[in-house]
Structure formats: C-alpha cells, structure tokens
Amino acid sequence: MKRQAGTPQAGVESVDRALALLACFDEGDHSLSLAELATRTGFYKSTILRLCASLESAHYLVRLEDKSFAIGPEVLRLGSIFQKSLRIEDRIRPVLRRLLETIGESASFFRREGDRRICLFREDSAHSVRDHVVEGERLPLAMGAAGHVLTRFDRGDGKSPATPEPSMALPLFSFGERDPEIAAAAVPIFGWRRGEIALLGALAVSGPVSRFTPELVGRIRISLLDEGRELSAQLGGPYETAGIASGTEPDP
C-alpha cells in the first residue's frame, strides 16, 4: 500500500521522507524489507537506504540479519515519554469548547464506571434552556447517546475496544431517552493505555429535542465525528486502528 505521506507538503523534505518511512510500519509488521518499503512509500530504493542509514544511526530503525528493517528502541522511548506526559484534560477541554462554539449546544466527555457513566469534563451552552449536567455527575449507562457508545465499544475488560457492529454508523444519537426533552449525540474516543488501544470515553453534545433540527443534526454529524477522530489520533488511538469506519447515522 503506497503511503500518501511519501509526498512532502512542507518542511524539510529529507525529514518528511524519513518520517514517511517510519509511518510505513503497521500493527503486526515485525519488519519490512527494502522492497516493501519501496512499495509503501514510492521512494527509490537508493533513497530508502540513505534514509534508513540515518534512522539506524539514531536508533529509530534496526536492520535485522535478513536485511529487513524493524522499529528501533528510540521509538519506544519516545512513546513512553508521550504516555507519561499526556494530560487527557488538556486535550479534551479545547475540543469541548470548539464543539460548543460550532454547534451551540453543551459538550461533554463521559467515562464508564461500572453500570454508570460519569461526566468528567463539561462545557455548558449559554442557552437558558439546556441539558443540565455537571462535572462529576453520574448518569445511567443504558440511556442516552454517550451511554450507548460506552456500552457498544467497550469490550468489558477495560482494554482494547470491542469490534463494532458492521452496520454501526457514527455519531450515535438518542432522543428523549434519559429525559423526554433532551437529545444527544456521541462518538467514542480511543487512546493508548497500558500497552494497547482502549476506549477512553465518549465525546457528546446534548440539548433540547426542539433544537435538534435536521440542519443542526447535520452539523453535529460532521463536527462531532471530525473532532472525535482528531482527538483519538492525538491520544494515540486513531479510529482506523480501532477498526472504526466513517459513516452517518440515519435521519432521526
């Protein structure tokens, strides 16, 4: 599979090409041959060998006895630093504020705790009539869009996400479930935790059913899915890695 990253758009071309080589490695790739790297990047083999020499010197790649290349220990060291320095709130708060600004309804981040869901972070709508939820509040897991996301994408052991249903499309919507006057939409957020991809929580927007018009629902679909994908990528759990395909929920 040829990587689009092989064509640099900005910055230093040699650095972009070296990073494109590292990006070739997927989960399950123990090592890649020179031919496989050439196929995935579209680079000449002579170019790859020069780049790999620099990456080997810095321990980002290692060359095995069969002449194939594998990820080096420096990548693991940086990954460990990333995990230890990552503050999830610092990544989520800006997303909630952007959703509030774009959609105009309250935005929240929920995490599963047993048979309940807890609101970890929240940005409230300026509307006097809104969905009233406060940070730290525990809500039923079986009702509401965020609850559906947390149950459908949680394997149940706190580790890797469950395989989604083939027909499932995101975001998931709910109308009048927890409260007959409230509607909501939510998407899963994945991240790297304890050595593998895990479901970290649900990113949601909610508000009065009366304001969830077809026009607003359309904006929610686009904004919520885009923000969910970007946030998961920042936290180390891209949707593609978690096996989630893009899609749109049928009209309510």
Side-chain angles (χ1 to χ4, degrees), residues 130-132 143-144 174-183 207 209:
R130 64 173 188 259
D131 177 23
H132 290 274
M143 293 182 288
S174 64
F175 294 86
E177 291 186 7
R178 181 177 59 83
D179 183 310
E181 301 297 324
I182 297 299
V209 171

Side-chain angles (χ1 to χ4, degrees), residues 197-250:
I197 302 300
L199 177 69
L200 301 183
L203 182 66
V205 294
S206 58
V209 171
S210 60
R211 290 206 295 265
F212 268 55
T213 63
E215 187 273 335
L216 181 64
V217 166
R219 294 210 325 264
I220 289 173
R221 286 174 176 158
I222 295 171
S223 298
L224 195 54
L225 186 55
D226 285 349
E227 292 288 359
R229 284 182 173 277
E230 176 62 24
L231 180 56
S232 287
Q234 290 181 21
L235 296 173
Y239 275 19
E240 292 76 9
T241 305
I244 309 301
S246 62
T248 54
E249 187 76 2

Side-chain angles (χ1 to χ4, degrees), residues 80-97:
S80 177
I81 293 173
F82 169 76
Q83 292 184 57
K84 292 176 182 177
S85 64
L86 183 63
R87 282 174 46 86
I88 188 172
E89 182 175 1
D90 293 343
R91 306 300 178 100
I92 293 175
R93 291 285 186 194
V95 172
L96 297 180
R97 289 192 286 267

Side-chain angles (χ1 to χ4, degrees), residues 13-181:
E13 183 176 359
S14 59
V15 174
D16 290 336
R17 287 174 176 259
L19 293 174
L21 280 178
L22 293 175
C24 283
F25 289 86
D26 288 325
E27 185 176 357
D29 287 334
H30 171 67
S31 65
L32 294 175
S33 68
L34 179 61
E36 288 172 323
L37 289 172
T39 298
R40 294 189 182 190
T41 61
F43 299 162
Y44 291 115
K45 292 182 179 179
S46 58
T47 299
I48 294 173
L49 288 173
R50 289 196 299 272
L51 294 170
C52 285
S54 294
L55 291 170
E56 283 184 81
S57 178
H59 307 294
Y60 286 97
L61 286 180
V62 294
R63 195 161 193 180
L64 306 181
E65 291 184 359
D66 63 0
K67 305 302 182 183
S68 65
F69 296 92
I71 291 293
E74 185 64 13
V75 176
L76 177 62
R77 186 185 73 84
L78 292 178
S80 177
I81 293 173
F82 169 76
Q83 292 184 57
K84 292 176 182 177
S85 64
L86 183 63
R87 282 174 46 86
I88 188 172
E89 182 175 1
D90 293 343
R91 306 300 178 100
I92 293 175
R93 291 285 186 194
V95 172
L96 297 180
R97 289 192 286 267
R98 284 198 301 269
L99 285 172
L100 175 58
E101 181 178 350
T102 302
I103 297 172
E105 299 295 345
S106 300
S108 309
F109 183 82
F110 291 91
R111 184 180 68 192
R112 180 174 183 169
E113 288 197 355
D115 61 353
R116 309 284 286 180
R117 55 185 168 105
I118 182 172
C119 179
L120 289 185
F121 311 114
R122 172 85 169 180
E123 292 292 333
D124 278 319
S125 165
H127 294 293
S128 58
V129 178
R130 64 173 188 259
D131 177 23
H132 290 274
V133 175
V134 297
E135 292 184 2
E137 185 171 354
R138 299 171 189 274
L139 300 174
L141 189 64
M143 293 182 288
H148 296 324
V149 163
L150 293 173
T151 53
R152 293 191 189 188
F153 289 92
D154 187 354
R155 196 175 66 180
D157 57 6
K159 296 183 179 180
S160 59
T163 302
E165 301 166 16
S167 61
M168 188 185 300
L170 296 174
L172 299 184
F173 283 82
S174 64
F175 294 86
E177 291 186 7
R178 181 177 59 83
D179 183 310
E181 301 297 324

